[in-house]
Amino acid sequence: MCAPAMSLEDYFSTGPRHEHKIFEAVMARLAGAGPIHVEPVAVGLFLKRARTLAELRPRDRWVNLYFTVPYRIQGERIQSRIQASAGRTYYVVRLHSPADVDAEVAQWLLDAYAESPE
């Protein structure tokens, strides 16, 4: 038997305080890109089209943003790279506040959205 889907309200009622505002900043940057399904799960929030385009995974003092884009990213903001397959790399960026969801992160999110199948 499957557990019922968790609502966003239920999800945010148990998480760290900083997470909700960071989520809102991410969603604001993706506004207008097209439809996005938000799936709250035990480890965080998955942002999806036909498949996951980004993940927000809370930590005590920040939220890790996971995403994949069709190009290589270098730079200090990238905390880690996870090679999922030959052509698919996940990047991880720490978001300490909504201000960290700046134009650079917004472009990565929009590129991740465009790369994700419908």
Side-chain angles (χ1 to χ4, degrees):
M1 183 187 293
C2 289
M6 183 184 317
S7 72
L8 276 174
E9 182 178 307
D10 289 341
Y11 176 83
F12 285 122
S13 72
T14 62
R17 301 183 131 208
H18 61 274
E19 183 181 16
H20 195 196
K21 290 193 182 298
I22 291 171
F23 166 76
E24 289 174 344
V26 166
M27 295 306 289
R29 290 294 192 162
L30 284 166
I36 297 172
H37 170 71
V38 179
E39 182 179 345
V41 295
V43 298
L45 297 169
F46 291 4
L47 309 182
K48 297 182 170 191
R49 288 180 86 187
R51 70 171 181 231
T52 301
L53 65 102
E55 299 175 13
L56 293 166
R57 295 183 177 229
R59 299 294 181 258
D60 288 338
R61 296 187 324 248
W62 65 81
V63 174
N64 280 334
L65 169 65
Y66 291 72
F67 62 94
T68 184
V69 290
Y71 51 84
R72 184 163 171 78
I73 301 174
Q74 302 278 19
E76 293 179 13
R77 295 187 79 178
I78 304 300
Q79 295 298 309
S80 62
R81 291 171 185 78
I82 302 164
Q83 194 68 43
S85 64
R88 196 163 176 80
T89 301
Y90 282 90
Y91 295 92
V92 182
V93 174
R94 285 184 183 167
L95 304 173
H96 294 272
S97 75
D100 290 335
V101 187
D102 60 9
E104 182 176 44
V105 170
Q107 190 59 59
W108 293 334
L109 287 166
L110 291 170
D111 292 345
Y113 184 91
E115 181 70 9
S116 182
E118 294 181 39

